[in-house]
């Protein structure tokens, strides 16, 4: 007689048990179901549970997802990115997955999730979301170099938008958030030059020759250039 599969909704809260033996058993059951299930029900349930609870145990399982569930995970995260309330925890989840560098991570370049990430960085006004999204992009870019040709100018537009944020501060956010955003965009500056030096220098020349961008160049970007080896390139 076939063994009855335990209900996912009953298993997930048990991930928070303090009994290590029980925790290992629950994680084993969930991983076993993931290895045999071809659909997305369990994985979607895990993502929803993480978004609701910020569960470290759910995050651990999701960060270790293997094929073919990579597609389900990427699609689910993309769906969650469309909801403002879910955007920040979804980006935190994506960041954890990217840092684990699973063998399938290069596939992100072919999925709508990358477009959702770029759209978020071009339009969102929540600074915590922007900081987290920039850090995800910085980490992800070396893993998807083939996406550069298609999205290169979007990367540069994101840099241009966020480099001016501290001066404009459209959300009137606290100083501590601005400091973190400034540091994140400075890291993006180094990433873009390191990967696309000629194209990025061309963008900087063009973008900061415009009158409306001169102040950002003088107050922000020029200082970055002077503190780096790239100043000779302009």
């Amino acid at each position: 007689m076939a063994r009855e599969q335990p209900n996912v909704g009953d298993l997930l809260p048990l991930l928070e048990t303090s009994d290590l033996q029980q925790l290992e058993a629950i994680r084993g059951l969930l991983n076993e179901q993931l290895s045999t299930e071809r659909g997305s029900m369990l994985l979607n349930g895990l993502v929803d549970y993480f978004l609701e609870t910020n569960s470290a145990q759910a995050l651990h399982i999701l960060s270790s997802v293997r094929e073919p569930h990579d597609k389900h995970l990427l699609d689910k995260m993309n769906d969650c990115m469309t909801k403002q309330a879910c955007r920040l925890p979804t980006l935190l989840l994506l960041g954890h997955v990217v840092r684990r560098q699973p063998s399938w991570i290069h596939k992100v370049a072919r999925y709508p999730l990358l477009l959702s990430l770029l759209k978020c960085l071009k339009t969102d006004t929540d600074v915590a979301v922007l900081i987290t999204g920039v850090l995800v992009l910085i980490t992800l870019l070396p893993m998807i170099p083939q996406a550069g040709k298609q999205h290169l100018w979007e990367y540069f537009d994101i840099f241009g938008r966020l480099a001016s944020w501290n001066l404009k501060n459209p959300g009137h956010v606290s100083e501590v958030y601005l400091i973190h955003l400034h540091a994140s965009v400075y890291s993006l500056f180094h990433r873009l030059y390191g990967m696309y030096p000629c194209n990025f220098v061309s963008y900087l020349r063009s973008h900061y020759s415009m009158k409306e961008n001169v102040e950002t160049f003088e107050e922000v970007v020029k200082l970055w250039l002077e503190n780096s080896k790239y100043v000779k390139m302009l």
Side-chain angles (χ1 to χ4, degrees), residues 32-50:
E32 181 183 356
Q33 283 192 245
L34 277 175
S35 67
T36 57
E37 181 182 275
R38 308 303 292 181
S40 60
M41 183 179 298
L42 173 56
L43 190 134
N44 288 347
L46 274 164
V47 173
D48 289 335
Y49 181 74
F50 169 74

Side-chain angles (χ1 to χ4, degrees), residues 10-11 18 33 57 60-61 96 101 121 123 133 154 165 170 182 193 195 202 211:
D10 295 334
L11 286 178
S18 58
Q33 283 192 245
Q57 294 300 330
H60 177 78
I61 295 172
H96 277 279
Q101 298 187 41
L121 292 172
T123 62
E154 291 185 87
W165 196 277
H182 185 81
Y193 183 83
M195 292 185 67
S202 176
K211 183 179 179 180

Side-chain angles (χ1 to χ4, degrees), residues 212-231:
E212 64 268 26
N213 299 325
V214 170
E215 183 182 9
T216 300
F217 179 78
E218 292 293 332
E219 297 294 329
V220 180
V221 180
K222 185 178 180 181
L223 296 176
W224 291 348
L225 289 165
E226 290 175 346
N227 290 328
S228 70
K229 61 185 178 183
Y230 311 140
V231 65

Side-chain angles (χ1 to χ4, degrees), residues 7-20:
N7 183 279
V8 174
D10 295 334
L11 286 178
L12 295 180
L14 297 177
L15 284 170
E16 311 315 313
T17 181
S18 58
D19 185 325
L20 295 181

Side-chain angles (χ1 to χ4, degrees), residues 175-193:
E175 184 70 18
V176 66
Y177 280 103
L178 293 179
I179 290 171
H180 283 290
L181 180 62
H182 185 81
S184 300
V185 180
Y186 184 44
S187 296
L188 180 62
F189 168 83
H190 282 281
R191 176 69 80 211
L192 292 175
Y193 183 83

